[in-house]
């Protein structure tokens, strides 16, 4: 069981949270300027790294706020959690 | 016109097993309040209606004589009040906050509040709630949104007796009730 630190509520059990995939994906400013391939890339394609991954999580049974998690996909080690809008932290793998 | 009285599925229930008492509290007023706590006008207007500013510290509450304001999120609070006050408080909040980016929503009958009293209450909750409920961590006045089994709950420790209030959606009230009662039965049988 993981203990995850919500940037607002503090340390809570993993079962209070839900993971929602890759973080820091910016919506294209003008979708009409994109080719179908570029739009498809934005909508469907996600990184699937072995190791450090920046992800979006939501404290679904708690404060219901979204935040970001830097996690190792091999060991499940969580390097950092941070608020949306915060710069992604550099971490030592 | 419509005299049908709609109540929660655990309306008025009381269950006592040994030292443990579980009951549904009478319907109280519940107001969900959202706004920007960095906005002075939001704080002043809220304070002038409710008699207190919204707590900024996560998982804490401010208590007045008839109203309590709980932290739910960095821009969200829950106000408990007497059911008879609800309409006036909502009207006053809406007029006081007029023009601000905020929301005042009545949720009185969206949730019900159960009360659990007795020395076993933390142990009973811990069967299905992942929070650390040890008095040194979750003491009097602590409150938190968490889960009990599959139900999202809002837990408030009202005293170190210990006594807890468990706010839950009507649709999950019977689930939480039955889950707690099954624990109470097991404890009573093992005593
Ligand atoms: Zn949280």
């Amino acid at each position: 069981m993981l203990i995850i630190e919500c940037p607002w509520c503090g340390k809570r059990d993993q079962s209070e949270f839900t993971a929602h995939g890759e973080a820091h994906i910016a919506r294209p400013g003008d979708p009409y300027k994109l080719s179908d391939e570029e739009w498809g890339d934005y909508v469907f394609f996600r990184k699937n790294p072995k190791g450090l991954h920046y992800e979006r999580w939501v404290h679904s049974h708690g404060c219901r706020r979204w935040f970001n998690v830097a996690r190792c996909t091999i060991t499940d080690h969580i390097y950092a959690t941070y608020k949306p809008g915060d710069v992604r932290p550099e971490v030592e793998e | 016109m419509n005299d049908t009285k709609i109540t929660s599925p655990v309306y008025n229930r009381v269950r006592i097993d040994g030292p443990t008492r579980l009951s549904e509290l009478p319907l109280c007023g519940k107001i969900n309040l959202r706004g920007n706590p960095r906005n002075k006008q939001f704080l002043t207007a809220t304070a002038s209606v409710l008699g207190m500013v919204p707590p900024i510290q996560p998982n804490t509450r401010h208590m007045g004589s008839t109203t309590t304001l709980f932290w739910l999120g960095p821009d969200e609070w829950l106000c408990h009040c007497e059911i008879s006050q609800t309409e006036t408080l909502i009207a006053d909040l809406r007029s006081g906050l007029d023009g601000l980016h905020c929301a005042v929503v009545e949720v009185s009958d969206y949730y019900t509040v159960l009360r659990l009293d007795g020395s076993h209450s933390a142990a009973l909750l811990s069967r299905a709630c992942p929070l650390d409920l040890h008095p040194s961590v979750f003491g009097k006045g602590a409150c938190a949104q968490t889960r009990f089994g599959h139900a999202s709950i809002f837990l408030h420790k009202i005293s170190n007796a210990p006594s807890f209030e468990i706010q839950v959606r009507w649709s999950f009230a019977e689930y939480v009730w039955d889950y707690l009662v099954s624990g109470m039965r097991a404890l009573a049988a093992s005593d």
Side-chain angles (χ1 to χ4, degrees):
Chain A
M1 204 52 97
L2 303 179
I3 299 292
I4 299 171
E5 184 154 4
C6 167
W8 292 278
C9 304
K11 291 186 170 131
R12 295 290 188 91
D13 187 272
Q14 171 191 355
S15 60
E16 290 189 1
F17 298 87
T18 325
H20 285 269
E22 190 181 346
H24 302 291
I25 298 172
R27 184 183 166 87
D30 185 358
Y32 294 101
K33 286 211 175 106
L34 267 59
S35 68
D36 284 353
E37 198 182 331
E38 286 167 329
W39 181 250
D41 201 44
Y42 159 68
V43 174
F44 298 109
F45 286 85
R46 296 292 179 264
K47 292 199 187 85
N48 186 21
K50 187 176 178 183
L52 176 63
H53 195 23
Y54 293 91
E55 300 169 317
R56 295 189 315 147
W57 286 63
V58 63
H59 192 185
S60 31
H61 281 296
C63 64
R64 290 156 293 123
R65 260 65 196 180
W66 291 83
F67 61 98
N68 295 327
V69 174
R71 179 179 69 97
C72 174
T73 58
I74 306 167
T75 61
D76 254 349
H77 178 73
I78 291 173
Y79 299 103
T81 58
Y82 52 105
K83 292 178 183 174
D86 287 358
V87 196
R88 93 172 70 189
E90 295 294 331
V91 297
E92 293 259 337
E93 277 189 79
Chain B
M1 291 292 179
N2 188 350
D3 291 337
T4 317
K5 199 173 178 201
I6 302 169
T7 58
S8 95
V10 295
Y11 179 64
N12 235 351
R13 282 196 204 171
V14 182
R15 165 96 195 190
I16 298 165
D17 270 305
T20 315
R21 185 179 194 276
L22 177 66
S23 60
E24 190 204 40
L25 294 180
L27 184 71
C28 74
K30 304 172 196 75
I31 304 165
N32 185 282
L33 173 68
R34 301 204 59 173
N36 180 359
R38 284 177 298 278
N39 183 313
K40 274 254 160 61
Q41 205 191 328
F42 172 75
L43 296 178
T44 328
T46 308
S48 79
V49 176
L50 299 175
M52 61 193 111
V53 289
I56 304 299
Q57 181 74 27
N59 301 302
T60 60
R61 50 116 159 101
H62 288 165
M63 244 175 156
S65 54
T66 56
T67 53
T68 308
L69 205 45
F70 300 98
W71 184 95
L72 291 186
D75 59 2
E76 185 180 9
W77 297 268
L78 170 74
C79 173
H80 277 186
C81 60
E82 284 169 13
I83 190 71
S84 57
Q85 295 177 285
T86 324
E87 241 171 272
T88 316
L89 288 181
I90 286 183
D92 291 352
L93 279 170
R94 285 196 177 142
S95 72
L97 297 170
D98 191 36
L100 291 181
H101 182 61
C102 63
V104 179
V105 179
E106 180 175 5
V107 290
S108 303
D109 53 8
Y110 181 54
Y111 299 102
T112 187
V113 182
L114 310 180
R115 182 171 163 150
L116 183 63
D117 294 284
S119 47
H120 294 309
S121 24
L124 285 164
L125 286 165
S126 292
R127 289 182 88 206
C129 171
L131 279 188
D132 185 351
L133 297 177
H134 191 274
S136 65
V137 180
F138 202 80
K140 181 185 171 186
C143 59
Q145 295 165 95
T146 180
R147 66 176 184 88
F148 185 76
H150 293 287
S152 289
I153 59 164
F154 174 68
L155 192 62
H156 172 210
K157 190 167 187 182
I158 46 177
S159 86
N160 282 327
S163 296
F164 292 91
E165 284 180 354
I166 307 152
Q167 177 178 283
V168 60
R169 293 183 176 88
W170 273 24
S171 49
F172 276 97
E174 202 153 34
Y175 168 81
V176 170
W177 180 277
D178 289 346
Y179 208 145
L180 286 169
V181 166
S182 81
M184 288 162 68
R185 279 208 194 105
L187 270 176
S190 70
D191 273 348

